[in-house]
Every structure is written in C-alpha cells, then in structure tokens.
Amino acid sequence: LPRTVAPREESVKCVNGPEKKIFMPGETTLKRHKSAASGVYYEVVTPTVAQVARNQFNCQSMTGARLENQPTADDCFGSHF
C-alpha cells in the first residue's frame, strides 16, 4: 500500500526560500517543522527511518530523521540526511 494514498497539491515554503506549489506526501512520511534557530526544515518520519535514527543517535525520543535544510540544490525539502 502507498504511504500517501491521495497526495495533495499545496503551496509550501521550501528550505531554499521560495514558495512552490508541489504535491506533498502524507504526514506519516514527511513533516514540516520551523525553529527560530534554523528556520523551516523537513523530517522523514516513516517507522523504519525513525527507528534507524533512534538507534544511530541512541535517542529513543527521536521522531524521524531531519533533512538538510541548507540550499544546496533545487529541491524543496532538503536533499539528504
């Protein structure tokens, strides 16, 4: 089964600055966050990615793996962990 049954097109603020209209995955796959220190960032929150991140950093309270939010490519969410 697909994680996002009905992708929705939304206007979102990208990590590299502009707003873009894109199809968003479901919130059980990718979540948007904002912090005063680093601005907008996205986190992959699938169960497998979350568990790997918890094990890697020995932190069982982690909810997923944060994507890089530096504008290094023409992407909206970040291109890597």
Side-chain angles (χ1 to χ4, degrees):
L1 294 172
R3 295 197 58 80
T4 303
V5 178
R8 62 199 186 279
E9 190 173 25
E10 294 182 20
S11 183
V12 297
K13 173 104 171 147
C14 297
V15 297
N16 60 356
E19 282 203 18
K20 290 184 182 178
K21 197 166 190 175
I22 58 173
F23 285 94
M24 290 292 293
E27 291 220 346
T28 60
T29 301
L30 188 73
K31 286 194 177 178
R32 179 182 184 269
H33 299 280
K34 186 174 183 179
S35 78
S38 60
V40 174
Y41 66 92
Y42 291 86
E43 183 178 41
V44 178
V45 294
T46 62
T48 301
V49 170
Q51 191 58 55
V52 169
R54 289 180 194 126
N55 293 344
Q56 175 67 29
F57 296 103
N58 193 24
C59 179
Q60 296 306 304
S61 64
M62 290 182 75
T63 58
R66 183 173 172 168
L67 295 174
E68 178 65 53
N69 68 341
Q70 299 300 313
T72 56
D74 187 30
D75 58 51
C76 195
F77 307 125
S79 58
H80 59 278
F81 296 108

